[in-house]
Amino acid sequence: MSERSKGMWLCALAMVTVGSTVVASKLIASGLPPFTATALRFALALPVFVVLMGCLRVCWPRPDRHDAVLLLCQAAAGSVGYTVLLILGVRWAPAADAGVVTGTLPAMAALVAVLALRERPGRYLVGGIVLASLGVLAITLRPGDGGGERTSTALLGNLLVLGAVALESLFILLNKRLRVPLAPLVQSTAMVALGLLLSVIPALLERAWLQPVPAEALAGVAYYALVPTVAGFLLWYAGAARLRGAEAALFTALMPVSALVLAAWWLGEAVGWAQVAGAACVLGAVGLVSLDGRRREGAVKPADVYSQSFACRKAHGEGSSSAHRKSNIPEQGNST
């Protein structure tokens, strides 16, 4: 198998793990409070990242006060905020809906960057944002099949998941403000460590140990910590190192598709025309944002968005896919 083919398979598997986070979150939401689940996830993932850094002889960063504050804000928004809102969202919304909404991340990140940096968006970017919005509306405004109360709770769940995506977009924007960008493995480890620090006190206040916890919820936490967080990170960077940035970007479209398939297969959810239409709109949005990124140097690109978000959500740390071509993961810095 050629290196390019290996890269394609690795990136595809990484995006499948991204899609599986909504299924894992659904299992977690059935038996664990959100901050407790978040703290447990980081507590399980952190030793693995520390061991990886030790084996690869990667040094811990020494950021100045400016970057230290930004890293703390990134952890609060991307590591803790994203996970908590996603778990709360899938408690009320179907996992299939959540998969479609989280697939809007590239378009949302581009929109946040435009609003914050006051850049003039191109027509491809505008089209991508419009398509992503239509995808969310398709699943949010569909006719309810379970009465008004069920429709209202699903709407609330979708809005919470959309809030999670907005927080992750904020993480990406803050990453652009770092004076000294961190290597992907270093930032992933830092985000997990800071995420644990920020979530442990709220987790203790939830007092989850006073009630029985279903085994499937604990299994969901273990899966989230070790597969999307650790394995997803390694798969993405190993695959992206073998591909051009534009090629890696194509595989980000697998995220909402894998979420729909896994929600139907593992959770037994019914996937209707609304979710399929929403996913189609999101896929189109990813394509348009990718075209805009190719047209404008420095524009938000889906491959870079998911690279950055891997340190937050699946661990949430970043680097450009093209930046990893010449060396191993820990030696490369962030692209933004």
Side-chain angles (χ1 to χ4, degrees), residues 88-320:
L88 288 174
V90 297
R91 182 172 292 174
W92 294 300
D97 285 11
V100 174
V101 176
T102 54
T104 65
L105 176 60
M108 177 71 82
L111 175 60
V112 170
V114 167
L115 293 176
L117 303 178
R118 297 182 180 179
E119 297 178 353
R120 185 174 181 178
R123 64 180 184 275
Y124 289 127
L125 181 56
V126 172
I129 293 170
V130 170
L131 271 180
S133 301
L134 291 175
V136 174
L137 289 175
I139 61 171
T140 302
L141 301 181
R142 69 181 185 272
D145 57 355
E149 183 178 352
R150 182 173 177 180
T151 302
S152 298
T153 56
L155 175 61
L156 174 60
N158 288 331
L159 289 176
L160 288 170
V161 176
L162 189 62
V165 175
L167 286 179
E168 189 147 341
S169 300
L170 177 61
F171 165 89
I172 295 166
L173 180 64
L174 291 173
N175 204 56
K176 294 176 178 287
R177 296 290 183 264
L178 290 175
R179 291 173 178 170
V180 181
L182 301 180
L185 180 58
V186 175
Q187 192 171 18
S188 295
T189 307
M191 289 300 101
V192 169
L194 291 173
L196 177 59
L197 179 67
L198 292 172
S199 60
V200 67
I201 292 179
L204 291 174
L205 294 176
E206 288 176 334
R207 305 174 73 182
W209 61 86
L210 296 180
Q211 57 187 13
V213 178
E216 67 176 14
L218 293 175
V221 171
Y223 174 86
Y224 201 154
L226 300 177
V227 180
T229 303
V230 178
F233 168 85
L234 296 173
L235 286 169
W236 177 258
Y237 281 104
R242 294 171 168 85
L243 299 174
R244 295 190 306 238
E247 291 177 325
L250 295 176
F251 290 92
T252 63
L254 287 177
M255 186 271 167
V257 175
S258 67
L260 288 179
V261 172
L262 290 171
W265 173 61
W266 189 260
L267 298 177
E269 290 186 0
V271 177
W273 67 267
Q275 284 103 338
V276 173
C281 289
V282 169
L283 295 182
V286 171
L288 288 177
V289 172
S290 180
L291 287 175
D292 185 78
R294 293 177 63 183
R295 186 180 65 86
R296 295 188 301 146
E297 184 178 357
V300 173
K301 305 176 184 67
D304 291 343
V305 165
Y306 276 106
S307 292
Q308 293 183 40
S309 67
F310 256 101
C312 271
R313 180 190 339 162
K314 286 119 242 149
H316 276 76
E318 171 53 333
S320 164

